[in-house]
Amino acid sequence: AQKVTQAQTEISVVEKEDVTLDCVYETRDTTYYLFWYKQPPSGELVFLIRRNSFDEQNEISGRYSWNFQKSTSSFNFTITASQVVDSAVYFCALSEARGGSEKLVFGKGTKLTVNP
Amino acid sequence: DTGVSQDPRHKITKRGQNVTFRCDPISEHNRLYWYRQTLGQGPEFLTYFQNEAQLEKSRLLSDRFSAERPKGSFSTLEIQRTEQGDSAMYLCASSPGHRWGYTFGSGTRLTVV
């Protein structure tokens, strides 16, 4: 069965600190997709990144970076030099490719508060 | 591209009433998804359409819930005989394909009193 665990319920940092959000997933499938979404206080989920199971390259996009490690079934997200606008709930999600299912299974989210 | 639109943004209804929500996806996206999100939880999958065909339904989608996507354009989600446990944010998303991330709408917040 698919499962996503985000063990950190809430994190609070001071602006300009680096912060890493953890995501651990479970799947029996060899082909799957991992996602991160941001949900600011306005409520709309914003897509940040998609990674497929065959691509273990780390990715950097501006202040954001992602570390995908199949050996530990983890897909962690780091924000460098955090800003107040980064305050949001961040969700990690998993989608298996087998069986034609296209549903995303989300973790419970990590609420990040960046204080000035 | 105006994004995914959902209507209404908020709905308060009395227990036992029927409610219907509408979702307008990004026009070139053939896939449309409904999710439900309760406070402090991640979104949970309800159902998915590819064009007008409903291809997958979650066990969460009881027989009081029905979704349609006539002509593969907008979609409606109806809840009959609402219960207090139906109170949640109902999210719609669309996508050009499974390999791509979804674009979510702002959601419809349902409160059953």
Side-chain angles (χ1 to χ4, degrees):
Chain A
Q2 305 174 67
K3 186 178 179 183
V4 175
T5 301
Q6 294 180 256
Q8 304 150 308
T9 306
E10 293 193 40
I11 299 176
S12 182
V13 299
V14 177
E15 207 170 16
K16 298 185 183 175
E17 282 186 32
D18 298 347
V19 57
T20 295
L21 310 181
D22 298 333
C23 172
V24 174
Y25 62 91
E26 294 177 31
T27 177
R28 295 179 194 166
D29 212 352
T30 55
T31 303
Y32 51 89
Y33 302 94
L34 294 163
F35 302 81
W36 275 95
Y37 283 85
K38 173 182 180 179
Q39 189 172 42
S42 61
E44 190 165 326
L45 281 156
V46 177
F47 167 74
L48 295 177
I49 191 171
R50 173 191 59 84
R51 173 68 75 220
N52 75 52
S53 52
F54 296 109
D55 183 0
E56 284 194 74
Q57 271 191 316
N58 290 334
E59 174 133 353
I60 298 174
S61 176
R63 296 185 297 106
Y64 296 171
S65 62
W66 290 268
N67 184 331
F68 176 31
Q69 291 195 340
K70 286 178 76 170
S71 61
T72 55
S73 297
S74 65
F75 187 42
N76 296 337
F77 173 33
T78 297
I79 302 174
T80 303
S82 59
Q83 300 177 1
V84 172
V85 294
D86 296 327
S87 297
V89 180
Y90 291 86
F91 292 97
C92 181
L94 165 70
S95 179
E96 292 179 340
R98 90 177 147 183
S101 175
E102 296 200 5
K103 71 177 183 181
L104 290 184
V105 173
F106 285 82
K108 292 189 176 182
T110 297
K111 182 179 181 181
L112 173 65
T113 302
V114 181
N115 298 299
Chain B
D1 179 356
T2 57
V4 177
S5 299
Q6 291 189 246
D7 184 68
R9 290 294 307 273
H10 303 274
K11 178 72 177 178
I12 300 174
T13 190
K14 291 184 178 179
R15 190 171 48 187
Q17 297 293 305
N18 299 343
V19 294
T20 300
F21 310 140
R22 176 179 171 124
C23 172
D24 287 90
I26 293 173
S27 57
E28 57 266 31
H29 288 182
N30 63 353
R31 286 159 160 85
L32 186 146
Y33 310 83
W34 286 99
Y35 281 75
R36 181 172 70 185
Q37 185 178 22
T38 53
L39 200 62
Q41 302 295 316
E44 296 175 295
F45 172 79
L46 292 178
T47 190
Y48 133 69
F49 292 85
Q50 186 169 332
N51 299 311
E52 66 274 11
Q54 189 174 19
L55 297 185
E56 190 173 0
K57 290 166 60 171
S58 163
R59 293 174 196 170
L60 292 175
L61 215 65
S62 76
D63 56 7
R64 295 185 299 105
F65 287 70
S66 63
E68 294 182 342
R69 192 184 182 196
K71 302 178 184 177
S73 56
F74 72 92
S75 176
T76 57
L77 177 68
E78 180 183 17
I79 309 174
Q80 296 183 326
R81 306 181 303 281
T82 52
E83 302 172 355
Q84 286 191 319
D86 297 331
S87 295
M89 176 75 85
Y90 289 84
L91 297 165
C92 177
S94 69
S95 170
H98 185 214
R99 297 169 183 268
W100 305 98
Y102 300 175
T103 301
F104 278 88
S106 298
T108 294
R109 181 167 296 284
L110 173 66
T111 303
V112 181
V113 297

